[in-house]
Amino acid sequence: MKFATGEPEHRRFFLDQSLTMYDALYIDDLRNYKKILKSRNTILKEEKYDMLDIYDMQLAEKGLEIQRKRKMALFQFNEIFKKLYFDISGIENVNIAYYPSWKEIKDEVGNRFPTKDEIIFHLKNKREQDKIMGTTLSGPHRDKIVFIKDGKFFIPNASTGQCRLTALLLRVSQAVYYTRITGNNPVLLMDDVMLELDPDKRARLTAMLPEYDQLFCTFLPGEPYERYKKNTTKILQIKNGEWYEN
């Protein structure tokens, strides 16, 4: 649920997780960026500013690569999520929007990411604020990922069921996205996650799951799983610490 309703770092984590499932270079970019960021924040706190020029250059280089990959991934991811949300809920135009901390620049060609030199210039202009706060106030660690419907923020006005559906469909979209990128099928675990969905939405959700190698589901007693189980589905009952096949 934190991916849908939590703080921005939870959605950044989700997007980074999606990328690291198939892009080993992104793992290195993210790890290196965090090291550079930690070092820059340390010298800001200790008021030892001699190395700022070097760290600004490194931060700009790694940070721009992270933002570029996040934007590309989210563009593809959003097409999956938007369609799924409409198919399950009937609610149109629920989109995922990416707001990079280092703002895109609009020119005669269109929107573009700033260059490395432009980011270095930006960091220099913000140094006094960074020194006062003792931390780096801009960069991919401050990116925002939000849910938008018809140009307005969706989650603050969404019902609990809509928020839970948002969280569920993020995972479903992640699995579809992963398969499209890699050609591999995922293993899915749905641990009592459909409690607040009505039976029709549960049936539609399970029908829209991507191809998978295995799917494990746990339910409370009384779950009408007969409506959406498959011929190959095995049902195990758990009672008093023991299990038996239904």
Side-chain angles (χ1 to χ4, degrees), residues 155-181:
I155 292 299
N157 299 313
S159 67
T160 301
Q162 289 170 342
C163 290
R164 180 166 288 276
L165 183 61
T166 299
L168 283 173
L169 291 183
L170 278 176
R171 281 301 195 196
V172 176
S173 300
Q174 186 183 55
V176 174
Y177 176 73
Y178 171 80
T179 299
R180 286 187 183 181
I181 295 293

Side-chain angles (χ1 to χ4, degrees), residues 7 12 16 29 54 59 78 95 99 121 134 140 145 150 181 184 197 203 210 220 234:
E7 297 300 315
R12 289 194 296 268
D16 290 339
D29 290 336
I54 294 174
L59 200 73
N78 200 31
N95 293 283
Y99 297 115
F121 182 75
I145 300 160
D150 299 327
I181 295 293
N184 298 320
L197 301 181
L220 292 175
K234 288 186 177 182

